[in-house]
Amino acid sequence: MNYSIIRYIIGWILRFEGIFLLLPFLVSLIYREECFYAFPVVSVGCYAVGYLFSFRKPKDTSLYTREGFMSVALGWIIMSIAGAIPFVINGDIPNYVDALFETISGLTTTGASILSDVECLSHSGLFWRSFTHWIGGMGVFVFIMAILPLMGGSSMNLMKAESPGPSVGKLVPRVKDTAKILYIIYLGITIAETILLCCGGMSLFESLTTSFGTVGTGGFGIRNSSLGECSTYVQIVVTVFMILSGVNYTFYFYLLHRKFKSAFSIEEIRWYFVIIIGSILLISANIRHMYPTYGDALLHSGFQVGSIITTTGFSTTDFDLWPQLSKTILLILMFLGACAGSTGGGMKVSRFAIYTKTIRKELSMLIHPRAIKKIKMDGHSIPHEVVRSANVFLAVYCVIVLFSTLLLSIDNYGFTTNFTATVATLNNIGPGFDLVGPTQNFSIFGVFSKFVLMFNMLAGRLELFPMLILFYPSAWRKHQ
């Protein structure tokens, strides 16, 4: 284990977090808030500690998979611990465990909240709460790689550990350039939505915070009703951008370089849109009787399908009151998630496609045992390592779901509450059903259960293994 490079990377994370914390400080000055000092105090502290950790670059800059996973897991934990402190200082969330829960939920783009009244928060607190979505959406390590030439080619191990999906590749030969392209696209989508929301009558503050939650697929709102009180125009804009944010960013890269054939030949994206359209039509028909017109049913159905499959978590209505068919479809979408290489969570559409093709292959092999069958995506054979990794992911995922649901049962709430709370946090969605539904929150859980859910949020955002490796003793040994 190369501890020096891990220390160096974490140092840069804290330095960048210190810079990020200056933005809510500016917001507090604009709105002349009394506790304006909360964010600059933590900002200076983060930058100072980060500087001590990273002012000298280590001689050994080798970064293998183990160091990459450790750096990412520890980096996200430390970033969350520091990011929660301003909420306590300014009094927005006096209880540190609750502040930590809210911060982890923000950074992992989960959107699960312990707050029953978000409108009582300060403007700077609301901004930081939403901005954590934007930071965590694309990933802070991707941001750092876009700015700094850290470890050359070996920094790909950082991107692999942080980026969602069964496999990660370079868009261009240099990892730094890949990171820059991703953030340019990410920033462009954010600016586009912000402008459109401003045109719809939202203030700049509301537009920015909503865009952070949409493009980062996080779902923290600045109103207690989420987006239920917003105009139809705003709801449609947010729906479109939620769905666009769940698309594999490779698609946008191809579009920017006018490689339209390559863009529209990505099989995962076709699966993604077919699932979305099918789900919207089924739910719309099922909830038609609950709304004045079919157009209203279609609007709410489209919004919630887009919100759940992209794991954003915004809501315009209490979908916990919908018929069982609609709720079951939404539950399936919670597991499914968005595309690999997007800001969305969940198991990813690409894995679902791999599992479906694997089942079809096995059935075919039973009928034709001598046949040679290969699983293909986008016309190319999927390497055995990717299939094996997807299968292992599913096994680990199921174990975490079952074990977490068991641990949450200590608080003695119903199975629906415990199970959907686990699914909602592990898949980085936010709302579940019953006592953690779209009009409820997670404050009902005890401290132990909140830590279980915080682990789930981090594990879900980091594709399980970076968090699990922290509990693997041999991973901490200096030499293999």
Side-chain angles (χ1 to χ4, degrees):
M1 177 68 72
N2 186 356
Y3 289 108
S4 59
I5 194 63
I6 294 175
R7 169 188 52 76
Y8 181 74
I9 293 171
I10 290 175
W12 273 107
I13 291 171
L14 286 171
R15 289 171 76 168
F16 275 106
E17 185 170 22
I19 295 172
F20 292 147
L21 284 163
L22 293 177
L23 291 177
F25 169 54
L26 290 177
V27 173
S28 68
L29 293 179
I30 292 172
Y31 287 94
R32 299 180 181 179
E33 294 174 346
E34 292 182 4
C35 295
F36 66 90
Y37 54 84
F39 288 98
V41 166
V42 181
S43 172
V44 172
C46 283
Y47 196 89
V49 174
Y51 182 79
L52 290 175
F53 279 18
S54 61
F55 77 96
R56 181 178 299 173
K57 191 171 183 178
K59 295 180 180 179
D60 182 8
T61 59
S62 58
L63 184 71
Y64 300 104
T65 301
R66 182 170 59 166
E67 285 83 2
F69 276 38
M70 283 286 191
S71 299
V72 167
L74 292 174
W76 277 72
I77 292 171
I78 292 172
M79 188 167 53
S80 300
I81 291 171
I85 298 174
F87 288 124
V88 179
I89 295 177
N90 68 7
D92 280 341
I93 310 176
N95 183 292
Y96 181 76
V97 173
D98 287 346
L100 182 62
F101 184 98
E102 202 78 7
T103 305
I104 290 176
S105 182
L107 288 170
T108 59
T109 71
T110 303
S113 180
I114 48 82
L115 299 171
S116 56
D117 183 11
V118 299
E119 295 178 17
C120 70
L121 267 62
S122 62
H123 283 85
S124 56
L126 285 172
F127 184 89
W128 176 240
R129 184 171 173 263
S130 294
F131 188 57
T132 54
H133 281 334
W134 199 83
I135 296 171
M138 185 56 65
V140 68
F141 287 87
V142 176
F143 180 82
I144 289 175
M145 284 185 286
I147 303 298
L148 300 174
L150 287 176
M151 282 70 61
S154 62
S155 59
M156 190 65 188
N157 287 316
L158 284 176
M159 188 176 287
K160 287 180 178 178
E162 188 181 49
S163 299
S167 61
V168 177
K170 301 177 185 178
L171 298 179
V172 290
R174 295 176 60 194
V175 176
K176 182 179 178 180
D177 292 336
T178 295
K180 281 183 178 179
I181 290 169
L182 290 173
Y183 255 98
I184 288 172
I185 296 171
Y186 190 52
L187 182 62
I189 295 175
T190 305
I191 293 172
E193 184 185 3
T194 302
I195 292 172
L196 289 174
L197 290 178
C198 285
C199 292
M202 273 190 163
S203 67
L204 180 60
F205 179 81
E206 289 178 311
S207 299
L208 279 172
T209 51
T210 303
S211 296
F212 292 153
T214 304
V215 181
T217 62
F220 273 155
I222 61 173
R223 299 178 183 177
N224 294 330
S225 62
S226 189
L227 296 179
E229 298 176 5
C230 294
S231 66
T232 300
Y233 169 83
V234 168
Q235 292 178 6
I236 291 174
V237 169
V238 172
T239 301
V240 170
F241 276 88
M242 283 192 297
I243 293 173
L244 291 178
S245 297
V247 171
N248 190 322
Y249 271 54
T250 304
F251 175 78
Y252 299 123
F253 172 78
Y254 285 143
L255 290 183
L256 287 174
H257 288 78
R258 299 182 180 179
K259 298 179 180 180
F260 302 111
K261 185 177 180 180
S262 298
F264 291 100
S265 66
I266 299 175
E267 188 175 345
E268 181 187 26
I269 293 177
R270 296 199 297 272
W271 281 70
Y272 175 68
F273 281 104
V274 166
I275 292 168
I276 288 176
I277 294 171
S279 299
I280 291 173
L281 293 176
L282 283 173
I283 292 178
S284 298
N286 190 232
I287 65 173
R288 168 65 185 86
H289 66 283
M290 299 180 66
Y291 297 96
T293 66
Y294 184 74
D296 291 327
L298 193 64
L299 175 66
H300 289 298
S301 172
F303 188 96
Q304 292 309 150
V305 167
S307 178
I308 296 299
I309 195 171
T310 61
T311 71
T312 305
F314 281 135
S315 62
T316 56
T317 186
D318 187 359
F319 56 79
D320 199 22
L321 301 177
W322 284 0
Q324 286 301 320
L325 175 61
S326 296
K327 289 164 65 175
T328 302
I329 293 172
L330 291 180
L331 182 63
I332 293 171
L333 295 179
M334 287 182 182
F335 284 100
L336 189 60
C339 296
S342 71
T343 59
M347 294 178 66
K348 307 298 178 298
V349 173
S350 56
R351 284 197 182 94
F352 177 76
I354 291 172
Y355 297 143
T356 304
K357 290 172 181 284
T358 301
I359 293 171
R360 189 169 61 186
K361 174 189 172 183
E362 292 302 316
L363 290 174
S364 178
M365 293 294 290
L366 289 174
I367 301 172
H368 307 287
R370 294 186 179 181
I372 299 175
K373 297 282 186 180
K374 291 186 178 180
I375 301 173
K376 293 185 176 182
M377 288 280 286
D378 302 328
H380 303 287
S381 296
I382 301 176
H384 173 71
E385 294 75 17
V386 175
V387 177
R388 180 188 61 81
S389 175
N391 292 334
V392 172
F393 179 92
L394 179 61
V396 174
Y397 179 93
C398 291
V399 169
I400 292 178
V401 169
L402 293 174
F403 194 59
S404 296
T405 304
L406 174 65
L407 293 177
L408 292 186
S409 66
I410 294 174
D411 283 341
N412 205 31
Y413 294 113
F415 175 77
T416 301
T417 296
N418 296 334
F419 180 71
T420 58
T422 296
V423 173
T425 50
L426 187 60
N427 291 315
N428 305 131
I429 295 164
F433 294 115
D434 201 12
L435 298 181
V436 290
T439 61
Q440 308 294 327
N441 58 69
F442 286 71
S443 62
I444 60 172
F445 290 106
V447 173
F448 174 76
S449 294
K450 286 176 182 175
F451 274 102
V452 172
L453 295 173
M454 283 188 270
F455 172 84
N456 285 350
M457 288 188 280
L458 287 166
R461 174 60 183 84
L462 301 179
E463 296 283 290
L464 307 184
F465 298 107
M467 287 300 295
L468 292 177
I469 204 171
L470 294 177
F471 300 94
Y472 198 64
S474 63
W476 295 91
R477 295 172 187 164
K478 197 166 182 65
H479 300 288
Q480 293 183 351

